[in-house]
Amino acid sequence: VSGVRVGRRIELTVDADSAAAARAVVERLAGDLFSNPLIEQASVEGPA
Amino acid sequence: VTVRIGVVIFPGSNRDIDAVNAVEVAGGEAVRLWHEQASLDGVDAVILPGGFAYGDYLRAGVIARFSPVMRGVSAFAADGGHVLGICNGFQVLAEAGLVPGVLMRNRGLRFVAREVHVRPERLDTPFTRAIGARRPLRLPVAHGEGCWYADSATAEQVERDGQVLFRYAHEDGTVAGGEEDRANPNGSLRAVAGVSNAAGNVAGLMPHPETAVEGVLGSDDGLGIIRSLVESARERVSRGRPALVGAR
């Protein structure tokens, strides 16, 4: 076994007017708070 | 002239009293700044002390970065004020983007609490001017996330522009190697123990100069660093205290 990576999964419930608005909130949180872009990558999954 | 040095207190700060003591030993007046205040009460320099701000659960320093007091600190730094982040304070400054790089989990994966030697790389900065001779300083470290890292372009630029203020070293002053070298307690890239921003008025370092300012503490090798900050702040005062900066 090699190349093991451990990640973090955070599930959020967001109150927003649209799925796009909710996604925008989560993407901002993912980039500014939940991850440090210097060392981490964040991706957002959710309602399109 | 009394020089007023702000010591920020976050919930979870635990070296704030040491910072207050160090400022007083160095001849300054310490002013405690609570994390909820965006105003810095007109202080002449700021120390962000060690500890575990807001618990550091998500990532060291990240929550503190968004605190009201950091708005004041950012405005103060943008105005040329001197800001020194020690240990957790360094992590907060890095998360805020006020100093380059990031502090990752120690390469050895363990919390490290012991004395190390650091070599000052610059003796002409606001944070090192009172150190005097270029000799290794014996200072304690106590951290789990102190491995300084930056991408190669940033690391090159930081070196080129003389922003590396301290490196982990052996007792004889030779720079420490990588994680396999015990002299480098956390595996920091290029053995970096302290860096400044490009403008040179904001600096972070992982070792604790504030707990090494009197012989009774085991070492007074850190006093030169704290004294440098007080001197730099005094110079800023002598040029005239600027109007209060920081959002209310």
Side-chain angles (χ1 to χ4, degrees):
Chain A
V1 177
S2 65
V4 176
R5 292 186 71 87
V6 175
R8 185 198 299 264
R9 176 190 171 95
I10 300 172
E11 297 188 5
L12 302 167
T13 303
V14 180
D15 189 8
D17 292 337
S18 67
R23 194 179 178 90
V25 168
V26 174
E27 280 179 349
R28 188 164 157 241
L29 286 172
D32 290 351
L33 184 65
F34 297 144
S35 70
N36 183 326
L38 296 180
I39 47 169
E40 294 166 316
Q41 296 170 323
S43 60
V44 176
E45 295 172 21
Chain B
V1 170
T2 306
V3 181
R4 302 172 71 240
I5 312 289
V7 175
V8 172
I9 303 176
F10 299 107
S13 294
N14 61 17
R15 300 262 181 160
D16 45 305
I17 295 171
D18 303 83
V20 165
N21 177 62
V23 165
E24 289 169 355
V25 172
E29 179 190 330
V31 178
R32 291 165 175 80
L33 301 173
W34 186 234
H35 68 114
E36 288 180 323
Q37 60 181 99
S39 158
L40 300 189
D41 293 348
V43 296
D44 306 309
V46 176
I47 294 177
L48 303 185
F52 301 87
Y54 300 92
D56 279 350
Y57 298 109
L58 178 62
R59 202 169 56 248
V62 67
I63 303 295
R65 171 202 162 183
F66 294 102
S67 64
V69 75
M70 285 306 293
R71 290 205 299 274
V73 170
S74 295
F76 181 71
D79 188 53
H82 299 113
V83 179
L84 173 63
I86 301 167
C87 196
N88 190 228
F90 185 8
Q91 294 164 339
V92 174
L93 289 176
E95 281 290 337
L98 292 173
V99 293
V102 57
L103 284 315
M104 297 175 63
R105 173 79 77 92
N106 295 346
R107 288 282 179 192
L109 302 181
R110 289 173 189 269
F111 191 97
V112 177
R114 58 178 163 89
E115 286 193 329
V116 298
H117 287 88
V118 296
R119 189 176 93 162
E121 299 292 86
R122 299 272 308 267
L123 295 175
D124 57 344
T125 75
F127 308 96
T128 58
R129 52 189 275 179
I131 289 176
R134 188 184 299 272
R135 62 176 179 88
L137 308 176
R138 190 162 53 87
L139 300 174
V141 291
H143 58 250
E145 285 109 4
C147 175
W148 185 80
Y149 170 81
D151 63 43
S152 52
T154 304
E156 284 297 333
Q157 177 261 312
V158 163
E159 292 279 6
R160 201 172 52 240
D161 296 346
Q163 291 172 238
V164 177
L165 303 188
F166 297 97
R167 269 184 239 274
Y168 299 108
H170 294 269
E171 201 169 347
D172 66 3
T174 53
V175 173
E179 61 182 297
E180 72 292 345
D181 187 345
R182 189 176 148 80
N184 183 339
N186 49 42
S188 282
L189 189 66
R190 297 163 189 248
V192 168
V195 290
S196 76
N197 63 345
N201 65 310
V202 180
L205 78 164
M206 286 314 295
H208 288 281
E210 82 287 15
T211 55
V213 294
E214 298 171 275
V216 69
L217 297 174
S219 168
D220 61 1
D221 283 359
L223 184 56
I225 296 170
I226 307 300
R227 200 175 264 156
S228 296
L229 180 68
V230 173
E231 276 184 18
S232 304
R234 179 171 288 124
E235 220 170 70
R236 183 177 161 85
V237 174
S238 67
R239 289 197 302 269
R241 278 195 173 95
L244 278 181
V245 293
R248 287 272 173 187

